[in-house]
Amino acid sequence: MALKIVKGSIDRMFDKNLQDLVRGIRNHKEDEAKYISTCIDEIKQELKQDNIAVKANAVCKLTYLQMLGYDVSWAAFNIVEVMSSSKFTYKRIGYLAASQCFHESTDVIMLTTNQIRKDLSSPNQYDTGVALTGLSCFVTPDLARDLANDIMTLMSHTKPYIRKKAVLIMYKVFLKYPESLRPAFPRLKEKLEDPDPGVQSAAVNVICELARRNPKNYLSLAPLFFKLMTSSTNNWVLIKIIKLFGALTPLEPRLGKKLIEPLTNLIHSTSAMSLLYECVNTVYIDVNTPPLPSLSLSLCLYLSLPPQLCVQKLRILIEDSDQNLKYLGLLAMSKILKTHPKSVQSHKDLILQCLDDKDESIRLRALDLLYGMVSKKNLMEIVKKLMLHVDKAEGTTYRDELLTKIIDICSQSNYQYITNFEWYISILVELTRLEGTRHGHLIASQMLDVAIRVKAIRGFAVAQMATLLDNAHLLTGNMQRMGICEVLYAAAWICGEFSEHLENPMQTLEAMLRPKVATLPGHIQAVYVQNAAKLFATVLKSQEGNTDSTAAQETSQLMIDRLPLFVQSANLEVQERASCILQLVKYIQKLQQKDVEVAEEVSALFAGELNPVAPKAQKKVPVPEGLDLDSWINEPPSESESEDEQPKAIFAKEEPKHSRPRREEVDEKELAKRREARKQEQANNPFYIKASPSSQKVYQEAPGVEHIPVVQIDLSVPLKVPGLPMSDQYVKLEEERRQKERAEKKKKEKKKRKEKRSGRGKKHDSGPESEEDITPAHQVDIVTEEMPEKSSKHKKKKQKKEKEEKEKKKKKKHHHHHHHSDGGGEEAVQNGTVEEEEPLPVSVFFCFLPLTKVYDIQGNLQDGSQVVVSVIFENKCDSFLKSMEFNVLDSLNSKLQRPEGSGPHDGLTVPFQLPPGVSNEARFVFTVQSIIMPQKLKGTLTFIVKDSSTHEKLDFKLHFTCTSYLITTPCYSDAFAKLLESGDLKCSSVRLEGVNMPFHHLLARICFHHHFSVVERIDSCASMYSRSIQGHHVCLLVKVSAQTVSIDAKCDEPTLLGNVLDEIKQTFSQC
Amino acid sequence: MQFMLLFSRQGKLRLQKWYVPLSDKERKKISRDLVQTILARKPKMCSFLEWRDLKIVYKRYASLYFCCAVEDQDNELITLEIIHRYVELLDKYFGSVCELDIIFNFEKAYFILDEFLLGGEAQETSKKNVLKAIEQADLLQEFNIGTFKEIKIFLLGEI
């Protein structure tokens, strides 16, 4: 019984190998997923067996299933088991499974390190080989770090089979564990000269890949590679070496000189296209393209291989019957086009030929090339060729691609290459006959753009558009053409807007009001209706001049008959416009019946021309006098009432608002950057009209609409061309025109030559005419950008402003210096919003003769015990003063800070001398312990009067009032209320009698002299706040009734409060 | 080289080799996208296409498409050569290879590829050397399989 079970399981063990699985999957096409899930169950069973052969078989099957897209990550550990089998057969399967299924996030990889190390050092080279191959697929940074040394040893293995693999895998190791590069590099370099060509080629491979990432480090190997290049015949190696030199040469231009010979030889001799392609591609293109354009120039010189050689070789590729070579040739050509447009342009014929290729990808490449190849001279020819292809092309995608390319080519760089816009309009009209294109919108926008911007073309464009409208049924005939009906939008608008150019406006009006129009999309109908009205105005104007008034009335009747169709439209826009215009026409009809002339007024509805306006045009319109764009039209609502009212009541006069727009704050650099970016963007935008110096015009400084710059352009070509023209005739016309121009030029030159017999003038031969010689028949209206002088003015203004602002800031900082001059401090500007860090002024001063000294005491917020006294010394006598020494008799509480090492009674040298009449400032720091009491410090100043060389002495007193320790600190009313409610504050109050001044003056005085800020003010009552340098809060409630001022005060330090109140009292008693 | 894919005209993957670390999900997405793109191309079109930031080089042999993805600076023609080399190797090894050979011996196809390319770089440009290495490794394996079969017969006979 037991034997039977064993036998059965062994049978099953072997009954499904990989081949069986594959066959089974092929036989279960209907229920593949179900079959595979049973297989996976079996595999799971097999993996549970102890027999390694069974396990290996299971893992092999799993590898196959993994390729089919099934998740086998659950078997990762079993894979490791199979990898560590001692039998090569199983090991091979295990490593294959690992290389297919493991990736960096597979955690069992950590377990493999030792097994791999063991395999790497196996005596069997195939064990080692299989381990290296596997490792190349799943190497992780950890594995790379742990095994780098083992692999490095293998690079010098006796068997080239192992050396080769070890060298190649080192590249992967370097990527994962860059630290290994330095120790491994000498050995890698050694391998470049390995006797085995396979190992050598592997080393070239690795170094080439490394050099691509960081060429600088491999310059020293250049001689070695040069030797290899001249000696090797292996194309694989040569390609890599050329790639390497492609990376090195930009760093060492001298290399280029050495390369000329071997490269030229290779290019001329090789039969391998891949090598030729590499030579051309790497050396000419990759090296010649930026980022090193200046170097590329020198390279070309050094290589002395003109780009023509390269282009000629590419021509061979393109002419080849092999699609692949053709494709690559075009690809390389488009890269060369960027650096050497001239040498590519001469192969125009070949590239045009490629448009006939049966391979679409080749045709598209050729189209890309053509875009870069057009010039004024060949545009018409190229487009003509493209138009032929449009007709032939099968498949709408390719045809649409052609269409967009034609428009791209023509409109690129602001229609730079178009010399005849009649031709372009004809092309656009021809394009509308394309079946089933999606790009009706694109054509329409081009028509509008050209008609609006090229004034001279309008008459022609209108005639063409009228024909289009007349034949609208051709465009809307079947539903497939819905994309193209977009052009009717443009046609209707152009005919309406420029209706004065229409030859037969009545006919067009009739065409626009056909019942068929109602089947068009809504937005087009809307344009129809609106422009029918414009046309109506034009028609009326022409008809009213006639003696017969019935014609005009008939026109109105036509409108009244046809418009109701649109009034019923489901589209709101159409409906609205139609009913407006219908009512208008009905009214006009009424007037007409009374024989009133209406044409003038009707056309006035649409008077004025729509001009393209530059984005910056608004700037050119000067702001009318008396209009302040910065002032509020409506005062913005304030956040809280109190804030809004009170500060203004006190400071409104002194503090003008500076509500400048934010924009002005942007600094100059940022602006310049943005301008640059914008210019860049505009340069790349084919639809942006750039300023061109030739068409600039000086504008008069007159205000109004006339000031918006629009350049008028004359043209030199007759406009009337009857009927619908074929664009081809323009090609001929253009030829003739150019020939004529050329002839004229020649004549002129001949004359010149005759006049100037020297014959050294410019010899413009009749040879190929240059780009500049071709003058355009029409020009595009140029909407100029900002004019340069304007912008500079603007800049200046800004700078000035910045300066002003800076000055203001300075003033703020040095505010306290001005205080000494005033007696009535209430007029002075008190800065209510100073930031906390800013030291605050104190206003006590004394005068001495012959020396004036003014000092300010500033609390230092960073350090609650420090006070900075800045003293201004002014020399009022006629002698030069020097060797000034400042000394103060320290008290227990306040000490002058002296430099280290000096005694407590030493004076401080004032760091300057004073010529007569000059003043200067010096600062002294005092340490104060308690600030709750005012203090007086006695001091002396000694100095030498230069003329008499005598020591003089001045005694002075420094008065540290309590208010000088206060710092104006803004406080919001809610914080203030909280503070009062907290109950930590002690109360005190004072009454001032006989104060005779307005309440806001009183508040201003307290603010100024005692460093308070107003928190809230209601009528004749105000709350105020200040803070000491040591953080005491001082709150005041000031009330006025009659001439009595009562101040209720709260502070967490009663002594300080008492002193402050005394000082306030004193301030008011003085006045 | 970033990766190599072999797939049938029906779009079934026959072999895949990734030389860049990518998650299973990404691999699946990439191969699905690519297979669709390439199968949609007309037979007369050239072997190269630009796809994302990679260059794809592919070639069809009988019912199988061989497709490689290389980086921008890599040489398309040499990649095409690598594909061709690989096909020649398979051909030599299996003796006029067909799709079924690769399906049923997919591990062999991998072994040959691994002897030819390593880490996405060509390691051996001589066909002879590649085949020699494979044959010798197979010899080792055949021996193993032989003994394995003997054990099987022996075991079954015993019971």
Side-chain angles (χ1 to χ4, degrees):
Chain A
M1 193 63 191
L3 278 178
K4 242 183 193 171
I5 294 170
V6 173
K7 191 179 175 221
S9 69
I10 289 178
D11 264 348
R12 207 184 57 219
M13 192 192 302
F14 296 114
D15 68 6
K16 200 178 273 170
N17 61 12
L18 177 66
Q19 274 76 19
D20 299 325
L21 175 79
V22 174
R23 210 166 286 136
I25 293 174
R26 291 170 71 82
N27 291 335
H28 290 79
K29 285 222 168 88
E30 317 289 270
D31 52 347
E32 193 185 289
K34 203 176 139 204
Y35 177 75
I36 287 176
S37 77
T38 59
C39 286
I40 287 182
D41 287 342
E42 276 171 27
I43 290 170
K44 280 184 181 162
Q45 285 301 317
E46 285 166 10
L47 287 175
K48 281 183 192 149
Q49 308 277 331
D50 279 334
N51 190 321
I52 192 71
V54 178
K55 270 188 190 163
N57 187 39
V59 163
C60 189
K61 288 193 274 183
L62 278 179
T63 315
Y64 187 78
L65 292 178
Q66 192 265 346
M67 187 176 68
L68 295 185
Y70 291 88
D71 177 35
V72 299
S73 54
W74 49 270
F77 186 74
N78 301 104
I79 294 175
V80 176
E81 278 182 314
V82 177
M83 276 165 73
S84 41
S85 157
S86 56
K87 292 252 169 38
F88 177 69
T89 319
Y90 309 139
K91 193 184 287 300
R92 206 183 189 189
I93 288 172
Y95 271 104
L96 174 64
S99 65
Q100 294 299 104
C101 310
F102 287 3
H103 30 81
E104 274 188 21
S105 54
T106 311
D107 37 9
V108 293
I109 285 189
M110 293 183 325
L111 305 175
T112 60
T113 317
N114 279 322
Q115 179 59 40
I116 296 174
R117 184 172 286 146
K118 217 175 101 193
D119 289 335
L120 289 180
S121 54
S122 158
N124 181 347
Q125 62 166 331
Y126 294 105
D127 278 354
T128 315
V130 118
L132 285 173
T133 309
L135 197 57
S136 74
C137 290
F138 57 78
V139 61
T140 62
D142 284 345
L143 279 180
R145 190 193 56 226
D146 295 340
L147 297 172
N149 265 325
D150 303 75
I151 301 171
M152 214 149 53
T153 328
L154 290 179
M155 282 166 74
S156 317
H157 200 269
T158 49
K159 300 253 170 56
Y161 177 79
I162 299 298
R163 287 208 299 275
K164 179 179 73 185
K165 282 183 193 275
V167 169
L168 274 180
I169 204 179
M170 268 327 265
Y171 178 62
K172 295 270 164 183
V173 173
F174 295 150
L175 289 187
K176 298 285 177 193
Y177 180 59
E179 287 87 338
S180 60
L181 180 56
R182 194 169 288 274
F185 191 69
R187 201 168 284 185
L188 187 61
K189 195 177 151 190
E190 223 176 84
K191 295 298 135 198
L192 282 175
E193 291 173 300
D194 197 278
D196 183 83
V199 180
Q200 203 181 38
S201 129
V204 171
N205 252 344
V206 171
I207 290 180
C208 171
E209 290 303 313
L210 288 172
R212 246 197 242 180
R213 283 163 191 261
N214 186 7
K216 196 164 86 251
N217 294 347
Y218 303 91
L219 264 178
S220 61
L221 295 179
L224 197 57
F225 277 106
F226 193 78
K227 213 174 86 193
L228 274 177
M229 184 177 169
T230 43
S231 60
S232 177
T233 51
N234 184 336
N235 286 344
W236 303 70
V237 174
L238 280 175
I239 286 176
K240 286 285 176 186
I241 294 178
I242 291 169
K243 236 183 235 310
L244 179 86
F245 277 124
L248 293 185
T249 320
L251 299 177
E252 179 50 271
R254 278 173 301 175
L255 258 179
K257 210 172 187 175
K258 286 211 83 175
L259 286 173
I260 303 170
E261 204 198 315
L263 272 179
T264 332
N265 285 344
L266 273 180
I267 290 177
H268 285 303
S269 65
T270 185
S271 58
M273 280 300 179
S274 52
L275 184 56
L276 176 66
Y277 177 63
E278 190 61 52
C279 289
V280 170
N281 207 24
T282 307
V283 178
Y284 286 95
I285 295 155
D286 290 353
V287 174
N288 272 331
T289 39
L292 295 156
S294 57
L295 268 177
S296 80
L297 218 150
S298 59
L299 236 190
C300 255
L301 277 176
Y302 282 133
L303 284 174
S304 74
L305 301 172
Q308 276 88 317
L309 173 65
C310 168
V311 178
Q312 267 164 24
K313 285 284 167 188
L314 287 180
R315 196 182 165 103
I316 297 173
L317 290 186
I318 297 172
E319 280 170 339
D320 201 286
S321 60
D322 185 348
Q323 302 287 73
N324 293 334
L325 296 183
K326 216 184 265 273
Y327 177 87
L328 291 180
L330 289 171
L331 193 67
M333 203 76 119
S334 65
K335 286 185 195 163
I336 292 189
L337 183 68
K338 284 177 203 144
T339 45
H340 304 97
K342 283 262 160 65
S343 37
V344 177
Q345 267 165 7
S346 54
H347 298 276
K348 189 183 67 202
D349 55 319
L350 184 68
I351 289 151
L352 283 172
Q353 262 174 39
C354 289
L355 286 178
D356 294 317
D357 201 279
K358 49 194 183 294
D359 183 349
E360 193 177 308
S361 52
I362 288 179
R363 294 196 300 255
L364 291 176
R365 281 269 158 244
L367 270 182
D368 278 346
L369 257 177
L370 282 178
Y371 177 82
M373 283 171 63
V374 289
S375 62
K376 278 180 183 161
K377 212 165 63 176
N378 62 19
L379 175 74
M380 282 186 171
E381 190 193 341
I382 288 180
V383 171
K384 184 182 159 193
K385 195 91 204 275
L386 290 177
M387 290 299 284
L388 283 178
H389 280 279
V390 171
D391 289 336
K392 278 194 287 180
E394 46 197 64
T396 42
T397 14
Y398 178 59
R399 201 171 32 198
D400 279 354
E401 183 65 35
L402 265 173
L403 190 154
T404 42
K405 265 280 136 60
I406 291 176
I407 289 178
D408 277 357
I409 285 174
C410 291
S411 62
Q412 69 175 308
S413 357
N414 200 19
Y415 306 105
Q416 186 190 343
Y417 300 116
I418 294 185
T419 49
N420 187 333
F421 279 95
E422 282 185 29
W423 164 81
Y424 187 45
I425 293 271
S426 320
I427 289 283
L428 289 174
V429 172
E430 274 175 49
L431 286 175
T432 62
R433 297 193 215 129
L434 269 189
E435 288 217 27
T437 180
R438 288 179 294 112
H439 293 295
H441 187 74
L442 186 62
I443 302 175
S445 66
Q446 284 287 300
M447 285 172 170
L448 285 172
D449 199 36
V450 172
I452 292 169
R453 284 166 59 186
V454 189
K455 274 189 184 154
I457 201 68
R458 282 179 192 165
F460 179 78
V462 164
Q464 292 293 307
M465 296 304 126
T467 328
L468 261 185
L469 285 179
D470 220 19
N471 300 319
H473 57 280
L474 290 176
L475 296 177
T476 53
N478 54 40
M479 285 307 282
Q480 252 202 337
R481 296 183 155 196
M482 281 320 262
I484 205 68
C485 65
E486 282 291 332
V487 297
L488 292 176
Y489 177 99
W493 190 86
I494 292 171
C495 284
E497 184 63 26
F498 307 120
S499 50
E500 69 271 17
H501 297 290
L502 271 175
E503 242 177 55
N504 192 348
M506 189 60 205
Q507 188 191 341
T508 311
L509 180 61
E510 205 275 329
M512 280 169 78
L513 292 171
R514 283 180 200 151
K516 193 99 201 229
V517 172
T519 59
L520 289 172
H523 66 287
I524 299 180
Q525 282 186 56
V527 171
Y528 264 71
V529 171
Q530 185 74 16
N531 285 286
K534 291 185 199 164
L535 268 177
F536 174 64
T538 316
V539 171
L540 274 190
K541 215 173 175 183
S542 67
Q543 286 173 338
E544 256 179 19
N546 299 346
T547 43
D548 184 17
S549 64
T550 50
Q553 288 192 20
E554 271 167 24
T555 315
S556 307
Q557 193 55 46
L558 176 78
M559 293 287 279
I560 291 168
D561 289 344
R562 299 281 177 87
L563 279 174
L565 178 69
F566 298 103
V567 176
Q568 292 159 13
S569 169
N571 186 299
L572 276 181
E573 174 107 29
V574 180
Q575 202 185 87
E576 191 179 12
R577 288 189 189 196
S579 30
C580 271
I581 291 165
L582 183 61
Q583 289 312 312
L584 182 73
V585 177
K586 278 183 180 163
Y587 180 68
I588 290 168
Q589 198 183 33
K590 233 185 257 171
L591 290 176
Q592 280 176 330
Q593 280 158 359
K594 292 180 198 157
D595 273 337
V596 183
E597 298 228 326
V598 286
E600 277 304 318
E601 281 167 60
V602 176
S603 39
L605 282 176
F606 305 107
E609 198 177 344
L610 295 173
N611 279 324
V613 177
K616 291 272 185 62
Q618 179 68 44
K619 242 188 207 169
K620 305 263 191 301
V621 183
V623 179
E625 218 169 300
L627 173 65
D628 181 10
L629 291 173
D630 293 330
S631 68
W632 293 105
I633 295 171
N634 196 14
E635 287 291 328
S638 63
E639 279 162 40
S640 89
E641 266 186 281
S642 55
E643 252 186 302
D644 152 33
E645 272 178 40
Q646 283 183 4
K648 220 181 285 157
I650 303 168
F651 303 119
K653 277 182 202 160
E654 295 93 350
E655 224 179 1
K657 281 230 166 175
H658 292 286
S659 54
R660 288 278 154 188
R662 262 272 166 81
R663 249 185 31 207
E664 308 267 323
E665 309 279 335
V666 184
D667 70 308
E668 198 59 22
K669 254 191 201 161
E670 174 65 20
L671 264 180
K673 220 163 72 194
R674 283 192 208 160
R675 204 170 293 148
E676 198 46 51
R678 198 182 52 238
K679 272 197 188 135
Q680 200 67 36
E681 195 185 80
Q682 286 167 359
N684 294 332
N685 184 353
F687 297 109
Y688 192 87
I689 315 173
K690 273 148 287 211
S692 83
S694 61
S695 58
Q696 286 226 342
K697 209 176 149 189
V698 184
Y699 301 105
Q700 292 164 347
E701 285 292 322
V705 195
E706 299 82 13
H707 200 59
I708 298 171
V710 172
V711 181
Q712 313 276 341
I713 277 147
D714 295 321
L715 80 161
S716 56
V717 155
L719 283 178
K720 280 275 146 75
V721 179
L724 202 64
M726 286 297 292
S727 53
D728 290 0
Q729 71 192 64
Y730 287 100
V731 182
K732 227 179 267 167
L733 262 171
E734 183 68 17
E735 282 289 296
E736 279 165 23
R737 189 177 70 88
R738 274 185 210 166
Q739 231 152 29
K740 217 161 73 189
E741 263 172 28
R742 232 177 293 167
E744 266 170 36
K745 209 175 203 175
K746 238 195 236 168
K747 239 188 252 165
K748 264 186 208 163
E749 252 167 52
K750 257 185 203 164
K751 252 187 211 166
K752 253 189 213 164
R753 246 180 258 169
K754 265 182 202 164
E755 281 166 16
K756 278 188 184 180
R757 279 194 180 162
S758 63
R760 280 181 73 199
K762 278 186 191 171
K763 275 182 206 163
H764 261 294
D765 246 351
S766 52
E769 60 184 324
S770 70
E771 268 298 284
E772 295 76 49
D773 295 339
I774 304 169
T775 51
H778 310 249
Q779 276 176 6
V780 185
D781 258 8
I782 309 294
V783 181
T784 42
E785 231 190 305
E786 196 176 33
M787 282 161 73
E789 69 272 28
K790 197 96 179 176
S791 74
S792 69
K793 218 190 250 171
H794 183 69
K795 220 186 262 174
K796 263 184 219 157
K797 226 195 255 165
K798 253 202 57 190
Q799 279 168 347
K800 212 168 150 195
K801 197 142 175 229
E802 269 171 17
K803 227 193 222 166
E804 271 172 14
E805 259 164 19
K806 261 186 209 157
E807 272 168 8
K808 237 177 250 163
K809 262 190 204 155
K810 252 188 224 162
K811 266 183 207 161
K812 266 186 210 164
K813 265 191 195 154
H814 299 285
H815 216 170
H816 45 278
H817 296 318
H818 305 289
H819 291 180
H820 65 87
S821 61
D822 78 328
E826 59 266 86
E827 297 302 324
V829 178
Q830 177 81 0
N831 195 341
T833 56
V834 188
E835 287 160 42
E836 278 198 295
E837 287 81 15
E838 207 162 300
L840 269 202
V842 170
S843 48
V844 193
F845 50 87
F846 291 100
C847 290
F848 303 101
L849 279 174
L851 193 71
T852 315
K853 254 181 36 172
V854 179
Y855 66 92
D856 288 334
I857 305 174
Q858 308 167 345
N860 185 341
L861 256 193
Q862 265 87 36
D863 188 340
S865 62
Q866 270 192 6
V867 174
V868 178
V869 178
S870 64
V871 184
I872 297 177
F873 300 89
E874 188 182 358
N875 186 354
K876 291 193 166 177
C877 67
D878 301 330
S879 315
F880 196 93
L881 303 182
K882 61 175 189 179
S883 301
M884 290 189 282
E885 222 168 69
F886 178 89
N887 200 3
V888 172
L889 208 59
D890 290 347
S891 71
L892 272 177
N893 191 29
S894 311
K895 291 187 172 69
L896 175 65
Q897 278 200 350
R898 298 176 166 88
E900 263 181 77
S902 50
H905 305 296
D906 292 350
L908 288 180
T909 314
V910 180
F912 48 79
Q913 303 182 334
L914 281 180
V918 171
S919 60
N920 205 342
E921 181 196 4
R923 291 183 175 214
F924 304 96
V925 181
F926 286 82
T927 321
V928 186
Q929 292 200 324
S930 163
I931 59 159
I932 56 170
M933 296 284 281
Q935 288 197 63
K936 278 182 187 155
L937 289 185
K938 280 185 185 170
T940 47
L941 182 79
T942 54
F943 53 92
I944 298 173
V945 181
K946 211 175 183 182
D947 299 335
S948 56
S949 299
T950 50
H951 270 272
E952 300 277 343
K953 193 173 133 195
L954 262 179
D955 289 321
F956 60 86
K957 276 181 187 166
L958 279 175
H959 192 177
F960 288 81
T961 58
C962 275
T963 36
S964 64
Y965 301 126
L966 294 184
I967 291 171
T968 314
T969 314
C971 180
Y972 294 108
S973 51
D974 43 351
F976 187 76
K978 224 176 256 173
L979 202 63
L980 290 182
E981 281 164 14
S982 67
D984 300 337
L985 308 183
K986 309 284 184 304
C987 248
S988 184
S989 54
V990 67
R991 286 172 87 78
L992 308 171
E993 300 286 345
V995 178
N996 194 7
M997 61 169 77
F999 188 51
H1000 66 269
H1001 277 195
L1002 179 107
L1003 290 179
R1005 195 165 268 224
I1006 297 175
C1007 284
F1008 175 71
H1009 287 291
H1010 301 285
H1011 312 152
F1012 280 87
S1013 65
V1014 177
V1015 179
E1016 203 168 353
R1017 181 191 158 179
I1018 300 154
D1019 299 330
S1020 56
C1021 181
S1023 49
M1024 306 179 91
Y1025 175 80
S1026 185
R1027 210 161 72 105
S1028 79
I1029 56 171
Q1030 291 180 356
H1032 306 288
H1033 303 283
V1034 189
C1035 306
L1036 300 183
L1037 185 65
V1038 187
K1039 286 180 203 158
V1040 184
S1041 53
Q1043 291 198 346
T1044 315
V1045 180
S1046 74
I1047 301 177
D1048 293 316
K1050 281 189 171 185
C1051 177
D1052 36 13
E1053 178 47 69
T1055 325
L1056 176 71
L1057 183 62
N1059 286 317
V1060 169
L1061 288 180
D1062 283 348
E1063 281 161 22
I1064 293 177
K1065 209 169 173 178
Q1066 199 153 15
T1067 310
F1068 285 98
S1069 68
Q1070 279 167 2
C1071 59
Chain B
M1 190 186 292
Q2 303 246 340
F3 56 85
M4 184 187 234
L5 300 176
L6 259 71
F7 53 91
S8 70
R9 229 169 31 178
Q10 289 78 36
K12 281 241 162 53
L13 216 52
R14 295 298 178 214
L15 189 139
Q16 53 170 350
K17 192 81 193 174
W18 300 83
Y19 298 109
V20 282
L22 287 173
S23 73
D24 283 345
K25 214 172 136 194
E26 283 168 296
R27 289 180 182 183
K28 266 188 212 169
K29 190 177 181 316
I30 290 174
S31 39
R32 208 184 317 121
D33 284 3
L34 259 185
V35 167
Q36 271 173 12
T37 319
I38 291 174
L39 288 178
R41 282 169 73 92
K42 297 197 184 76
K44 280 169 194 162
M45 289 172 101
C46 68
S47 297
F48 316 119
L49 62 136
E50 274 163 25
W51 186 79
R52 299 195 190 169
D53 54 343
L54 296 175
K55 291 198 287 201
I56 305 295
V57 180
Y58 73 94
K59 193 154 170 81
R60 188 180 147 182
Y61 288 90
S63 58
L64 265 188
Y65 283 89
F66 291 69
C67 159
C68 291
V70 294
E71 277 156 75
D72 191 42
Q73 314 98 315
D74 285 320
N75 188 320
E76 291 97 331
L77 289 174
I78 208 74
T79 314
L80 210 55
E81 180 70 25
I82 286 177
I83 292 178
H84 188 67
R85 241 341 121 96
Y86 182 47
V87 173
E88 281 180 336
L89 285 169
L90 291 172
D91 210 43
K92 280 254 167 66
Y93 184 82
F94 290 107
S96 72
V97 67
C98 68
E99 194 184 341
L100 279 182
D101 286 322
I102 294 169
I103 297 173
F104 281 106
N105 300 288
F106 90 110
E107 85 278 25
K108 297 280 190 212
Y110 276 121
F111 294 148
I112 297 170
L113 186 61
D114 285 342
E115 282 302 326
F116 178 44
L117 299 177
L118 194 133
E121 297 289 336
Q123 62 165 314
E124 183 55 73
T125 54
S126 146
K127 272 178 275 184
K128 215 177 70 196
N129 285 350
V130 175
L131 288 173
K132 208 174 81 190
I134 288 287
E135 272 159 25
Q136 280 176 356
D138 277 352
L139 263 180
L140 270 174
Q141 182 165 346
E142 286 307 320
F143 168 73
N144 283 331
I145 284 172
T147 48
F148 174 67
K149 273 176 190 159
E150 278 162 33
I151 294 167
K152 184 177 166 187
I153 293 158
F154 167 75
L155 269 174
L156 291 173
E158 191 87 333
I159 302 160

